[in-house]
Amino acid sequence: MPSTGDPSRAEQPVARAPHALDAAGVELLLAADRLEGLRSAEAAERLARVGPNRLRPPRRPAYTRIALRQLADPLVLLLFGATLVSVGVGEAAEGAAIGAVIVLNAVIGFVQEAAAERAVVALAASYVVPASVVRDGLEVGIAGEDVVPGDLLVLRAGSRVAADARVVSASGLEADESALTGESLPVVKTPAPVDEHASLAERPSMVYAGTGVTRGGGRALVWATGRETELGGIEQLGESAKAPKTPLERRLTLLARQMVLVGILLTVALTGAMLARGSSLHTAFLVGVAVAVAAVPEGLAASITGALALGSRALSRRGAILRRLDSIETLGQTTVICTDKTGTLTEGRVRVAGVRPAEGVDEILVLTGALLASTPAVDGTSDPELVGDAIDAAVLLSALERGLSLTEVTAGLRLVYDIPFVAERGRVTVVWDDGGMWTVYVKGAPEVLAGRATDFPGELAEVVETWADEGLRVLAVGAGRLGRDVSLSEDVDTGLSILGVIALHDPLRASALGAVEAAVSAGIEVRMVTGDHPRTARTIARALGLPESAVSARATPEDKLRLVEELQSRGEVVAVTGDGINDAPALRRADVGIAMGRTGTEAAREAAAVVLTDDEFATIVSAIAGGRRIGDNIKKVVAFLLSANLGEVLLFAVAVTAGLGVPMAVIQVLLVNLVTDGLPALALARDPASADTMTRPPRRERVLFDRRAWVGLAFVGALVGAAALVAFLLGRTTDSAHAQTMAFATVALAELIFVFSCRSWRLPPWRLPANWWLVGTVVTSTAFVLAAVYVHPLHEPFKTVSLTGGELVLVLALAALPAAGTEAVKAFGHALIGARSPAVRED
């Protein structure tokens, strides 16, 4: 991570790390002025030399890249080849049909991914923030882009830090660095230098670009801007982290290669067989094209894209936006989740975890004292959401939950004197006039108040130690009575009585525990990777039931990225969750990066494949369940489509080698692959989830189908091919047109009956819940087949003839054989495609 700049430029010198230098040393190295700031002319010169203070221009949806990605799919490239071959041999109609499939597939994918990109952009906020700086001795407001090294930043509560800067003065200054370091509680800032080797989360003398000031004020000299900042370094680390191919991509690429190889071998073999029998080269080549078309499931690309799009839309309704369609299937393959803590498992807000009063004091009095020892009386508001200081807001919320109103607390009191929190004092001191005596209320670090109290009860000291070991931040609250003639000074808070102690924490999200348990029961390893303190991380892990070995605390962006790469090298499919700038590199490198959309940073959203609109960890588990359902359904879709193609290939292989002629016209093969198979395949993608979706471990197969599955597919394909061959032979007793029509109708109707058996490889269709989408598409596809056979104007384009009633009965009987054979295998207790294939939920 860059901490120093270019040695050739005075404004970003190479030296010891700025957090280790004193303010005077930083001022000298930057050629700056910590009182008067830069001169305007000097600032303009530096801006021209260094460039704007920004990471990169605001992003817009890359529509061209999205469109090209749709066409780069291996199955689409395979269809391109089939189109060119069809057109090249004069089969323009076939080429146009395949081209229409390519366009449909591209449009579905483009529309879905472009919509996701627009949704992410709508969530994103610009990195550029306004800044207050001192120029020519005067404070001025400028655009964050115009901040240069050496500028004197003016920091106030509620502002965002525009650049990395060295604190030179501070008054109760605290910053929220959770987006950068994962530290859940605000960090106190001070001008005092720290050790040069201190980690990013342990540098109170620095403020960083992209973080926010939560309390107090101060000034800081800008050390680095733009891509030289810690934020810029993380962005560069993220750019170098390339996302791997998804499991679905790898499996479909392998499947496409296998189909290409099979198609080429069959085409060459059958073309050669026809030439050997004396057929003309043109006739032999046309048969080869028919076989090639039969070997390629033209509807597969569109069916898979449609299945992913349907799943994506379903997840978006649950709060998960998928920026790439295939991310949903990868979610289902997830074996490890590396999750951030702050804002992901926890709420990302400070809350009171416990109140322990001293003997003779109750909790209400402790909270009353804490409220009165605020800045002042929590800025006069009764709404915790409007209180600028996170600790004061937490105390106010806890008081309100106990029925203690701010009006009641301050009734009859008049503010006399207050000293806000500064790191050197370690406490807040406020004096109130109650009409008789003055009362001083103090809250701060227990060790500080112990030195200013008459006594610090031993039982409270033990509680403080226990809470600290649990990773909680502890405040002590004290009070004392003063005479009206006392001198008001910083030492007014001596001789205090300790009222009690308050524990603060960043609480778990309500749904986090159940979500983690659901993930673990689904065979997914959950690891917490956070920049927070180890004790805090271990406490959260214990509350979630995670072992200490699953916790990585004080993790830097490099540590998180390295962990992801190590897990991937072991063959794990890694999902990474995060919301901070520090999460971006790991989000990009993960198999699935999951960013928080509501509280997450723009850098995290840009790097992720999935964006959660509700920031709920439970939504991640829901998305994984959806991914598993889609993954299972894609496997069903591919098996269904391949069974038809295997049957067609076997039909052609036997008929041609036996010299029986061409069993189906090319246009008939396309009609089966695109219409009578394609529509039911889309409906099959809507099948409900398996009963064991989230109780079984994730699949780890490197291929879509193992050897056992291919045997099952070959069995079904053989039944389809045999049934069609018998129909073809029966039709040859009349003429070749009848033969091809009967073969076509048998293959088409066989698939439309068999699709119901595809819904489960272990249970019969009548034991499954209804899929009315599937019923509707089967009816529609059947109507297409009957129209192609019996509507006379369609005979010429589809090379069909009308069948007699007896011929249709024979076709129907033969078409039922593949489904009957499949159900017979199931009845004997054997899973046809994969013994571990999930069964759909039984009603």
Side-chain angles (χ1 to χ4, degrees):
M1 309 301 293
S3 295
T4 60
D6 186 337
S8 65
R9 300 186 306 199
E11 60 270 20
Q12 290 188 339
V14 169
R16 292 172 58 199
H19 54 270
L21 297 171
D22 59 26
V26 172
E27 179 184 41
L28 179 64
L29 287 169
L30 290 172
D33 189 324
R34 54 182 157 152
L35 298 177
E36 300 292 321
L38 293 176
R39 291 177 289 106
S40 295
E42 173 66 16
E45 181 184 338
R46 294 189 182 192
L47 182 62
R49 187 162 59 246
V50 177
N53 175 36
R54 65 185 180 205
L55 302 183
R56 56 184 172 185
R59 65 182 292 274
R60 288 181 174 83
Y63 293 118
T64 302
R65 176 174 52 82
I66 295 171
L68 290 175
R69 186 159 60 238
Q70 312 313 313
L71 301 177
D73 184 275
L75 291 174
V76 173
L77 295 176
L78 190 58
L79 292 181
F80 266 126
T83 303
L84 293 176
V85 171
S86 297
V87 173
V89 298
E91 299 289 344
E94 287 80 354
I98 302 174
V101 174
I102 296 173
V103 172
L104 176 63
N105 179 74
V107 168
I108 293 173
F110 177 83
V111 169
Q112 185 68 30
E113 291 195 20
E117 285 293 292
R118 287 194 297 271
V120 172
V121 171
L123 287 169
S126 174
Y127 160 72
V128 178
V129 295
S132 292
V133 298
V134 176
R135 296 252 177 103
D136 303 314
L138 300 174
E139 181 180 340
V140 294
I142 64 172
E145 288 189 340
D146 296 333
V147 171
V148 297
D151 257 328
L152 182 61
L153 285 180
V154 180
L155 306 172
R156 293 188 178 88
S159 65
R160 288 179 64 191
V161 182
D164 289 3
R166 175 62 166 82
V167 177
V168 295
S169 66
S171 176
L173 181 63
E174 294 186 5
D176 176 7
E177 296 182 345
S178 59
L180 188 65
T181 65
E183 187 75 50
S184 56
L185 296 176
V187 179
V188 176
K189 297 297 179 179
T190 170
V194 296
D195 184 76
E196 184 171 5
H197 302 292
S199 68
L200 191 66
E202 298 170 335
R203 300 176 188 174
S205 58
M206 296 291 295
V207 289
Y208 295 102
T211 63
V213 179
T214 59
R215 182 178 185 176
R219 295 189 173 190
L221 286 172
V222 174
W223 181 263
T225 60
R227 291 174 72 85
E228 295 296 322
T229 61
E230 296 289 340
L231 175 59
I234 292 174
E235 183 194 53
Q236 294 174 57
L237 183 64
E239 289 174 351
S240 65
K242 302 301 181 184
K245 282 188 174 183
T246 66
L248 184 61
E249 273 186 295
R250 293 193 293 267
R251 291 167 184 166
L252 290 181
T253 298
L254 179 60
L255 182 62
R257 288 173 182 167
Q258 292 170 338
M259 287 190 295
V260 168
L261 179 60
V262 170
I264 291 174
L265 292 177
L266 281 172
T267 300
V268 171
L270 296 182
T271 301
M274 290 198 69
L275 289 174
R277 289 180 176 276
S279 298
S280 67
L281 179 60
H282 180 71
T283 302
F285 191 69
L286 287 179
V287 171
V289 171
V291 174
V293 171
V296 177
E298 286 79 9
L300 183 56
S303 298
I304 290 177
T305 302
L308 295 174
L310 290 171
S312 177
R313 284 197 292 273
L315 285 190
S316 67
R317 291 193 292 270
R318 301 181 195 174
I321 298 173
L322 271 71
R323 298 180 63 199
R324 286 193 59 180
L325 288 182
D326 51 10
S327 298
I328 187 172
E329 200 271 344
T330 312
L331 271 169
Q333 301 291 314
T334 298
T335 60
V336 180
I337 301 176
C338 293
T339 177
D340 190 23
K341 178 187 72 68
T342 306
T344 305
L345 294 171
T346 66
E347 294 179 2
R349 295 182 292 180
V350 181
R351 292 287 182 265
V352 171
V355 179
R356 183 63 62 88
E359 186 176 355
V361 180
D362 59 22
E363 290 187 3
I364 295 297
L365 186 56
V366 178
L367 289 171
T368 298
L371 283 176
L372 292 174
S374 298
T375 34
V378 291
D379 299 325
T381 179
S382 294
D383 186 352
E385 298 297 327
L386 300 179
V387 178
D389 181 77
I391 293 176
D392 288 348
V395 171
L396 176 57
L397 179 62
S398 183
L400 292 173
E401 289 172 347
R402 289 168 169 79
L404 184 64
S405 70
L406 185 62
T407 302
E408 179 185 350
V409 169
T410 57
L413 300 180
R414 179 178 65 85
L415 179 67
V416 176
Y417 182 66
D418 73 281
I419 307 173
F421 179 89
V422 291
E424 292 76 13
R425 296 186 78 247
R427 64 192 187 278
V428 179
T429 303
V430 184
V431 179
W432 295 86
D433 181 359
D434 61 5
M437 297 281 287
W438 285 352
T439 306
V440 58
Y441 291 96
V442 185
K443 75 169 182 284
E447 62 272 18
V448 173
L449 266 67
R452 308 195 68 79
T454 54
D455 177 53
F456 198 96
E459 66 274 13
L460 290 186
E462 292 179 5
V463 170
V464 169
E465 186 174 342
T466 300
W467 280 349
D469 288 340
E470 293 175 357
L472 302 174
R473 183 170 178 176
V474 185
L475 289 177
V477 181
R481 301 287 283 176
L482 304 173
R484 286 177 172 270
D485 57 348
V486 71
S487 175
L488 296 174
S489 67
E490 287 201 359
D491 289 327
V492 73
D493 51 3
T494 57
L496 297 173
S497 297
I498 300 299
L499 300 178
V501 290
I502 299 174
L504 300 166
H505 72 147
D506 178 11
L508 282 176
R509 288 182 176 272
S511 59
L513 177 59
V516 170
E517 289 176 345
V520 172
S521 67
I524 302 170
E525 180 184 357
V526 178
R527 287 174 172 253
M528 183 196 301
V529 187
T530 176
D532 214 337
H533 194 282
R535 287 185 305 189
T536 305
R538 286 195 295 267
T539 299
I540 295 296
R542 283 197 297 270
L544 292 170
L546 297 177
E548 280 196 25
S549 59
V551 178
S552 298
R554 283 287 185 246
T556 65
E558 293 93 341
D559 294 334
K560 196 166 187 175
L561 180 60
R562 193 160 42 244
L563 175 61
V564 171
E565 291 174 338
E566 179 185 338
L567 291 169
Q568 288 173 331
S569 69
R570 300 180 196 166
E572 305 288 353
V573 177
V574 184
V576 170
T577 73
D579 57 0
I581 303 162
N582 57 324
D583 298 316
L587 286 170
R588 192 181 302 277
R589 181 65 179 87
D591 296 284
V592 185
I594 306 171
M596 304 298 128
R598 183 178 297 173
T599 58
T601 60
E602 181 181 2
R605 288 189 290 264
E606 283 195 37
V610 181
V611 178
L612 303 184
T613 60
D614 58 6
D615 289 8
E616 287 285 343
F617 188 83
T619 304
I620 299 169
V621 180
S622 176
I624 289 174
R628 289 191 175 187
R629 181 180 72 88
I630 291 299
D632 292 342
N633 288 348
I634 285 176
K635 194 169 182 179
K636 298 175 193 176
V637 167
V638 176
F640 168 62
L641 294 175
L642 287 183
S643 65
N645 286 84
L646 285 171
E648 293 165 13
V649 167
L650 290 172
L651 171 63
F652 270 87
V654 175
V656 171
T657 54
L660 301 175
V662 180
M664 289 172 63
V666 174
I667 192 64
Q668 292 171 349
V669 174
L670 284 175
L671 183 61
V672 170
N673 290 356
L674 298 180
V675 180
T676 60
D677 284 353
L679 292 178
L682 282 173
L684 197 58
R686 288 178 173 267
D687 248 16
S690 309
D692 61 350
T693 295
M694 292 301 287
T695 57
R696 57 180 164 86
R699 298 199 313 263
R700 292 175 177 265
E701 300 98 329
R702 293 177 177 268
V703 293
L704 199 61
F705 298 114
D706 58 18
R707 184 176 301 174
R708 179 190 179 94
W710 280 113
V711 171
L713 286 175
F715 171 73
V716 176
L719 291 178
V720 173
L725 182 62
V726 172
F728 178 68
L729 292 173
L730 292 173
R732 285 183 81 240
T733 60
T734 304
D735 56 45
S736 60
H738 270 77
Q740 287 188 336
T741 301
M742 289 183 69
F744 153 69
T746 300
V747 171
L749 295 175
E751 287 298 302
L752 293 176
I753 299 171
F754 172 68
V755 69
F756 293 100
S757 294
C758 271
R759 296 185 59 205
S760 170
W761 300 110
R762 293 182 297 190
L763 300 178
W766 52 88
R767 290 183 57 190
L768 305 174
N771 180 341
W772 294 111
W773 286 96
L774 185 59
V775 172
T777 55
V778 167
V779 170
T780 303
S781 296
T782 302
F784 269 111
V785 175
L786 295 177
V789 173
Y790 289 105
V791 176
H792 287 281
L794 298 179
H795 286 174
E796 179 60 29
F798 291 115
K799 308 292 191 296
T800 56
V801 295
S802 296
L803 301 179
T804 66
E807 289 171 334
L808 181 59
V809 170
L810 282 172
V811 164
L812 289 172
L814 291 168
L817 287 178
T822 302
E823 296 307 322
V825 172
K826 293 181 188 178
F828 284 100
H830 299 289
L832 203 62
I833 297 186
R836 297 187 302 276
S837 295
V840 179
R841 185 187 306 277
E842 297 179 57
D843 286 344

